[in-house]
Amino acid sequence: MKPKKESSKVLDHPLFQELIVMYQKSLQKRYSEENLKLYPEFRSIPRNTIDRLLHFFLEYLYPEYSKRKELDAAFDALSGFVNHPTKIWGILGNLAMSIFRFGKHFPLALKAGLAALHSYVTAHQFEEELVMELDRRENKLRLLESEFAMDSLIAKVEKQKADAFRKDIGALFKVFSDADLVRKIILIMEDILIKMQSKGNLYTVEDKKGITLGVSILKEGRAIFDQMKEEEISLILQAIDTIEEDFYQKACERDSN
């Protein structure tokens, strides 16, 4: 059965391209050398690691508009699998055979993989919150071009939603930090892709691109943590959580003044 596509609700917004540029600038500012001076507890994290982290954000979460348009169909297909995991069972077959192929930890690995990719999906759901707030404003384009545009919009997002988004991103990177788990998840997803390709026209090109996108996200995310010690990984995860929480709190404070 083909997964039902879940169309983007924001891609066709007339100012979505400007919204992405705004988000990219905000990310670059948050993880700039200047801003990171405010967090001396994280100064031991190498700059090249920060740059790889930022690259992942900009390449896979909030790429340039033209690339986002190309990825959107794949993203929709991936969302369909993540939100309806029973569709994966239809591709893989019975549980016993999958455990035989991938080992006894197969169910746990698959669950962790779906949870990680769900975190990726929620990152794009967060866009809807920003777009809805943008639509409430006058002089929308002028706002998006202002220095504190992101601060102004995110300050109106409910704290519960902002916290959930931050925790989802943290959960995504936590999965990336587990090399063995990521390896198993990638093997499973690559097997899913092979089976989809073997079934001819049963699955669309977008469906296959969706799974390919999932594999790419996992590989690129894992690459950030290659060769790192456990304490270094822990520090990076802590840095992401602290910087993102701090950004939201400061935005709320600025908005209330």
Side-chain angles (χ1 to χ4, degrees):
M1 181 183 296
K2 295 181 181 180
K4 180 182 178 182
K5 286 193 66 178
E6 302 186 7
S7 301
S8 170
K9 296 180 181 179
V10 297
L11 190 66
D12 295 326
H13 190 281
L15 291 176
F16 186 59
Q17 184 170 356
E18 287 78 7
L19 186 79
I20 285 182
V21 171
M22 175 206 70
Y23 208 122
Q24 289 179 328
K25 288 180 178 178
S26 177
L27 278 168
Q28 289 166 337
K29 183 178 180 180
R30 293 207 291 283
Y31 291 90
S32 66
E33 290 186 34
E34 187 65 28
N35 193 57
L36 290 177
K37 289 178 182 177
L38 300 174
Y39 305 95
E41 66 269 37
F42 304 129
R43 63 174 174 266
S44 63
I45 300 175
R47 182 64 222 180
N48 68 320
T49 299
I50 297 293
D51 288 339
R52 294 186 76 176
L53 178 66
L54 187 58
H55 172 77
F56 179 85
F57 274 121
L58 298 177
E59 188 74 11
Y60 286 97
L61 292 182
Y62 297 100
E64 293 182 359
Y65 182 70
S66 58
K67 182 171 182 180
R68 173 63 192 277
K69 286 188 71 174
E70 292 176 9
L71 289 176
D72 201 59
F75 169 73
D76 285 342
L78 179 62
S79 299
F81 285 111
V82 171
N83 291 327
H84 307 285
T86 53
K87 293 172 181 175
I88 289 179
W89 292 113
I91 303 172
L92 284 175
N94 66 69
L95 177 61
M97 185 61 70
S98 295
I99 290 176
F100 178 77
R101 286 203 306 271
F102 300 111
K104 64 180 181 180
H105 298 300
F106 163 75
L108 178 63
L110 181 59
K111 183 178 180 180
L114 290 174
L117 294 174
H118 184 269
S119 300
Y120 175 81
V121 169
T122 59
H124 288 273
Q125 292 173 344
F126 193 68
E127 290 173 351
E128 295 177 24
E129 297 290 330
L130 299 178
V131 168
M132 285 190 294
E133 179 56 34
L134 177 64
D135 282 340
R136 297 186 185 102
R137 307 295 184 92
E138 297 180 2
N139 300 319
K140 297 177 178 59
L141 184 57
R142 184 177 178 182
L143 169 64
L144 289 175
E145 293 174 345
S146 67
E147 181 181 0
F148 296 108
M150 182 65 182
D151 306 56
S152 178
L153 293 177
I154 200 172
K156 298 301 183 183
V157 175
E158 295 176 15
K159 186 178 186 302
Q160 184 178 3
K161 292 181 179 179
D163 287 346
F165 168 68
R166 190 183 75 255
K167 289 176 181 176
D168 275 341
I169 294 300
L172 177 63
F173 280 96
K174 189 170 183 179
V175 169
F176 292 158
S177 70
D178 189 331
D180 189 52
L181 179 60
V182 171
R183 181 184 60 80
K184 290 177 181 178
I185 297 169
I186 289 173
L187 284 175
I188 292 168
M189 294 191 71
E190 287 179 338
D191 191 64
I192 289 171
L193 185 59
I194 290 171
K195 284 181 166 53
M196 290 174 74
Q197 291 169 338
S198 71
K199 294 184 179 181
N201 297 325
L202 184 60
Y203 294 95
T204 67
V205 172
E206 286 77 17
D207 294 333
K208 296 165 190 173
K209 284 184 177 179
I211 297 298
T212 301
L213 175 61
V215 172
S216 297
I217 292 167
L218 290 163
K219 286 183 176 179
E220 288 295 321
R222 174 58 209 163
I224 297 172
F225 298 100
D226 276 346
Q227 310 302 319
M228 281 190 195
K229 296 178 181 178
E230 190 172 334
E231 56 268 25
E232 293 175 310
I233 292 173
S234 178
L235 190 63
I236 290 172
L237 296 178
Q238 183 185 343
I240 294 171
D241 187 70
T242 300
I243 291 168
E244 294 303 313
E245 182 177 23
D246 200 29
F247 172 68
Y248 176 73
Q249 290 179 343
K250 287 181 178 178
C252 291
E253 290 170 5
R254 184 178 289 110
D255 185 69
S256 64
N257 292 334

